[in-house]
Amino acid sequence: MERSPEEVNPSEAAGLINPNPRTDPIRDPSRITSSSASSLSPPEWPTIDGPLGLSEQDALGYARKFFGFGFVLLPLLWAVNCYYFWPVLRHSRSFPRIRPYVVGSAIGFTVFSAVLASWALTFTIGGERLFGHTWDELVMYNVADRYGLTGWI
C-alpha cells in the first residue's frame, strides 16, 4: 500500500531524500569509485602520456638530461621536464629514482622565473630614473647609432 506525501512524517521524509547524508568518499573508503580511486593511487607510468610514453629506465635518462641541460642556459627544459613528468611531480612516493631530477627542475625553473621577472621589472619600471646617466650604456636600442651602423642603409 502506497502512502501519499501528506502521510509521511518528517523523519521518514529525510530518510527518503538522503538515506545516508554523511557518506562521502573521503570519510567512507568503501564508497570510492574507480575514477576517484585512480586520482588517489600512485601512477603506473612516469610520463603524462601513460602507456604510450617511456619505460621507467628511459624516463630516468630523459629526466636526468633535461635537468642537466637546464643548467646550460636552457632553463625552459626544466619546465618541459616538470610538464612531461607531471605524474612523478604530483605523487611524492612514486618513482623515487626520477623524482629528484623533476623536483630539482621545478625548483630551478621557479628560481629562474623569479630572477627573470625581477630583472625585467627592474628595467621596465626603473628605467632611466633608477640607473641615471648609465642608462644610455645599458639599453640596446641605441647600439646602431653608437657604432655608426645606421649611415650605410
Side-chain angles (χ1 to χ4, degrees):
M1 166 157 88
E2 204 167 304
R3 293 187 281 177
S4 66
E6 293 85 23
E7 296 175 4
V8 177
N9 64 21
S11 63
E12 289 177 348
L16 293 174
I17 294 171
N18 189 358
N20 193 356
R22 293 248 178 212
T23 303
D24 60 0
I26 303 298
R27 293 187 183 135
D28 186 8
S30 66
R31 304 241 334 151
I32 295 178
T33 62
S34 63
S35 63
S36 63
S38 65
S39 66
L40 298 175
S41 64
E44 296 177 27
W45 304 97
T47 59
I48 57 168
D49 45 1
L52 299 175
L54 303 169
S55 67
E56 186 175 354
Q57 190 62 33
D58 292 339
L60 177 64
Y62 277 101
R64 186 180 295 139
K65 286 178 187 175
F66 284 162
F67 179 69
F69 284 127
F71 284 107
V72 237
L73 302 177
L74 297 171
L76 288 180
L77 283 179
W78 285 334
V80 170
N81 205 10
C82 292
Y83 174 73
Y84 192 60
F85 294 105
W86 177 251
V88 176
L89 191 61
R90 184 168 179 225
H91 299 280
S92 63
R93 292 192 171 98
S94 66
F95 305 103
R97 295 182 347 170
I98 300 172
R99 187 162 172 80
Y101 298 110
V102 180
V103 170
S105 294
I107 292 169
F109 185 71
T110 303
V111 169
F112 167 75
S113 298
V115 168
L116 182 67
S118 63
W119 175 80
L121 288 173
T122 299
F123 278 88
T124 303
I125 295 172
E128 195 169 359
R129 267 190 328 220
L130 181 64
F131 294 102
H133 65 279
T134 59
W135 176 251
D136 289 333
E137 297 172 17
L138 293 174
V139 294
M140 297 299 293
Y141 60 80
N142 62 357
V143 171
D145 291 336
R146 189 179 319 156
Y147 292 111
L149 300 175
T150 57
W152 62 275
I153 296 180

